[in-house]
Amino acid sequence: MKMIRKRVLKKIFKIFLMLFTIICLILGLTVVFFKIREKTQKTQIEKYHAICYGNKYIGNLCLQGMNKEQIIYILENEISEIKNRVVKVKWNDQEIVNTIDTFNPTIKVLINGNPTEYTNDQIADFLIKTDKEKTIGKQLEVIKNGKLGSKIIITFDYSLNGEIVQEYVSNLAQNCFVAPVEANISLADNDQFEVTESVDGQKINESMLVDAIQNTSDKNDWKSVVNIEGKMDIIKPHYNSNDLKKVNTLISSFQTHFIAASSRGRNIIKGTSRINGTVLMPGDEFSVDQVILPRTIENGYLIGKAFLNGRVVDSVGGGVCQIATTMYNTILRAGIIPDVRKAHSMSVSYVPLGLDAAVTTGSKDLMFTNTLSYPIYIEAENNGNSLIYKIYSGENALEGYTYEPRSVRHSSFSATAYLDVYKDGSLIKSIFLHKDRYLSKKG
């Protein structure tokens, strides 16, 4: 029995030893297999150490398999294409060609839509390193199927230097500006008006063009040409020939008398010559003081008699107040009430008391606005010793009304002025103008 048991145990031991040997062999082979596989995988991954995995893009270009130098080249090329992008600005039948670089662009790199301050070198490193932190198995999956990699899209945006864009547009606007041609009206010897034709001008709409150039980055196909159509705005001439052709009727006139052959008379003639032919469109303002220019020897004026603090004194330009007075009475008869009118310090002899107007540089002026719906043409001339002012306008400018200034004298030094308004010969109303007091002459 002992012998049999001994044999059995010995046999069992041999079987166990055989199994152990087989297991050890299998384990050893397994370890060798995994080490070989790991080494093979590491060797395979090592090949991708310096190149980009899949699912990484610059624009629509996939970077899979590209190294750092290639990625940097593509980045630089994309930025260069942005700077060299052609911008064509067209207006009428003209065109000017520039590039985005003309406007000193600030170019931003976006990673998945988010701005980054990375340099091109850093961006390339970032793209290559992405997914390298994953396990070997995950990296092998990315290598086999690039779409399993972390998706990264590099895009670009830019903004232009606002001051440079504005300066560019301003210069362009000057170059393509077409000034309007103003119509001119003149009264011929046959008392007929002659009107030259006006021509519309053109100017480019600067604000719209600035916006259009600034917004070129909205079209993010950097290889495309940016075509910008400059909008041309029409510039209407102030003096339009169609409006001036409506001037055909004498609507008011007034005259005063003076001694032409005197220094005072010469001053009146000189100032009047500067008013003659004045055209005022509806809403235009007029200042006697400005139009007749400063009363200086250089402007052709002589020393004449003028009022100063109740005295008659010698003054360069003395006498020009008669110009303002004659004009005042002429515009009143056209239904135009002045914006500014000042009385003399003392009464004058050439109009009723209270219907005068004075002009003194810096203190007194006759200013008015053309309140009619038509242009007015002012004819101002002297005929011998008569100073005659006339206002022409459209035949319906006064709409059937007539106007007559009236002075109510209270004393030798006081009067109130009214403007009486008539229609069909009947007094409609009286408009209060002003009440004036005058000084007595000294000495």
Side-chain angles (χ1 to χ4, degrees):
M1 288 295 293
K2 287 183 179 181
M3 290 297 293
I4 293 172
R5 187 180 297 158
K6 205 175 198 179
R7 287 176 185 170
V8 171
L9 289 171
K10 190 174 181 180
K11 191 173 183 179
I12 291 171
F13 177 75
K14 286 181 179 180
I15 293 171
F16 175 80
L17 184 61
M18 185 181 296
L19 289 173
F20 178 77
T21 302
I22 292 171
I23 291 170
C24 289
L25 182 60
I26 291 172
L27 289 173
L29 290 173
T30 300
V31 171
V32 171
F33 170 77
F34 278 106
K35 285 188 176 181
I36 291 173
R37 192 179 75 164
E38 184 180 5
K39 185 176 181 180
T40 301
Q41 289 176 335
K42 285 183 176 180
T43 301
Q44 189 176 4
I45 290 174
E46 188 65 29
K47 294 178 182 179
Y48 288 84
H49 173 72
I51 62 177
C52 190
Y53 285 166
N55 222 12
K56 315 291 183 292
Y57 301 86
I58 294 180
N60 297 320
L61 178 64
C62 183
L63 304 176
Q64 185 172 0
M66 295 188 183
N67 60 31
K68 182 175 181 178
E69 287 72 21
Q70 291 171 315
I71 293 173
I72 290 175
Y73 174 80
I74 294 170
L75 287 168
E76 291 176 346
N77 188 64
E78 288 291 311
I79 292 172
S80 178
E81 284 192 349
I82 293 173
K83 291 182 177 181
N84 293 322
R85 189 181 192 189
V86 174
V87 178
K88 292 183 179 180
V89 179
K90 303 176 182 179
W91 70 96
N92 294 340
D93 58 347
Q94 300 184 62
E95 176 182 277
I96 187 168
V97 179
N98 293 99
T99 64
I100 291 295
D101 199 40
T102 302
F103 309 106
N104 190 23
T106 298
I107 300 174
K108 297 178 181 179
V109 181
L110 311 179
I111 299 178
N112 289 343
N114 298 312
T116 177
E117 299 297 328
Y118 286 173
T119 64
N120 290 347
D121 187 84
Q122 291 171 326
I123 292 171
D125 284 339
F126 169 74
L127 291 169
I128 290 173
K129 289 177 181 179
T130 300
D131 291 331
K132 298 291 195 306
E133 76 285 356
K134 294 182 177 180
T135 63
I136 290 176
K138 292 290 184 181
Q139 290 188 58
L140 287 174
E141 290 178 8
V142 172
I143 290 172
K144 290 177 182 178
N145 183 358
K147 292 184 179 180
L148 296 177
S150 302
K151 189 170 185 179
I152 298 176
I153 301 177
I154 304 296
T155 53
F156 303 87
D157 193 12
Y158 67 80
S159 59
L160 306 181
N161 185 300
E163 291 183 1
I164 292 178
V165 173
Q166 185 62 63
E167 182 180 3
Y168 170 84
V169 170
S170 296
N171 291 334
L172 179 61
Q174 290 180 8
N175 293 332
C176 65
F177 175 79
V178 178
V181 177
E182 302 286 348
N184 182 56
I185 184 171
S186 59
L187 188 59
D189 293 337
N190 58 1
D191 289 334
Q192 296 295 313
F193 283 101
E194 296 178 352
V195 178
T196 62
E197 291 298 321
S198 58
V199 180
D200 291 345
Q202 286 187 325
K203 65 176 180 179
I204 203 160
N205 190 306
E206 294 189 41
S207 61
M208 290 183 66
L209 183 55
V210 167
D211 289 343
I213 294 175
Q214 289 283 22
N215 293 334
T216 55
S217 59
D218 293 344
K219 305 170 184 178
N220 53 16
D221 177 7
W222 312 130
K223 298 178 177 62
S224 67
V225 174
V226 180
N227 291 301
I228 299 175
E229 194 70 34
K231 181 181 181 297
M232 299 301 294
D233 292 333
I234 300 299
I235 308 173
K236 290 292 183 181
H238 184 67
Y239 300 104
N240 184 283
S241 53
N242 291 331
D243 291 332
L244 294 186
K245 287 176 182 178
K246 298 174 184 177
V247 177
N248 54 19
T249 303
L250 176 66
I251 63 170
S252 75
S253 65
F254 189 75
Q255 69 174 329
T256 57
H257 301 284
F258 70 111
I259 300 174
S262 65
S263 296
R264 183 180 181 279
R266 298 286 180 84
N267 291 333
I268 292 173
I269 294 170
K270 173 60 70 173
T272 293
S273 68
R274 291 179 171 135
I275 292 177
N276 186 44
T278 295
V279 178
L280 299 178
M281 303 300 289
D284 281 358
E285 297 176 347
F286 183 89
S287 162
V288 170
D289 184 46
Q290 290 182 10
V291 173
I292 65 176
L293 301 182
R295 273 68 72 195
T296 63
I297 299 298
E298 291 75 15
N299 284 333
Y301 290 102
L302 305 175
I303 296 175
K305 299 297 182 181
F307 292 162
L308 179 64
N309 298 325
R311 296 181 182 276
V312 178
V313 298
D314 289 332
S315 175
V316 176
V320 295
C321 286
Q322 189 163 345
I323 294 173
T325 295
T326 308
M327 174 69 81
Y328 179 48
N329 283 268
T330 307
I331 65 171
L332 287 177
R333 285 168 171 77
I336 298 173
I337 298 175
D339 304 313
V340 176
R341 171 265 175 192
K342 301 290 184 180
H344 287 79
S345 59
M346 297 184 294
S347 61
V348 296
S349 60
Y350 42 84
V351 290
L353 192 70
L355 291 180
D356 62 300
V359 56
T360 303
T361 301
S363 61
K364 294 183 178 182
D365 194 5
L366 176 67
M367 302 174 66
F368 64 92
T369 302
N370 177 13
T371 53
L372 304 180
S373 299
Y374 292 81
I376 62 175
Y377 176 92
I378 302 174
E379 182 185 23
E381 61 179 1
N382 67 292
N383 183 4
N385 292 327
S386 296
L387 184 62
I388 307 169
Y389 277 37
K390 299 177 182 179
I391 293 180
Y392 295 85
S393 189
E395 58 183 349
N396 296 317
L398 299 187
E399 300 177 348
Y401 292 95
T402 56
Y403 300 87
E404 187 66 35
R406 173 169 55 91
S407 170
V408 177
R409 188 182 182 112
H410 305 302
S411 70
S412 299
F413 306 105
S414 176
T416 300
Y418 299 89
L419 183 63
D420 293 335
V421 183
Y422 295 86
K423 192 162 190 178
D424 299 326
S426 299
L427 178 65
I428 303 300
K429 61 180 177 179
S430 293
I431 301 172
F432 170 79
L433 296 176
H434 45 76
K435 183 176 182 180
D436 298 312
R437 293 189 62 83
Y438 301 86
L439 300 174
S440 61
K441 295 181 181 179
K442 299 177 182 179

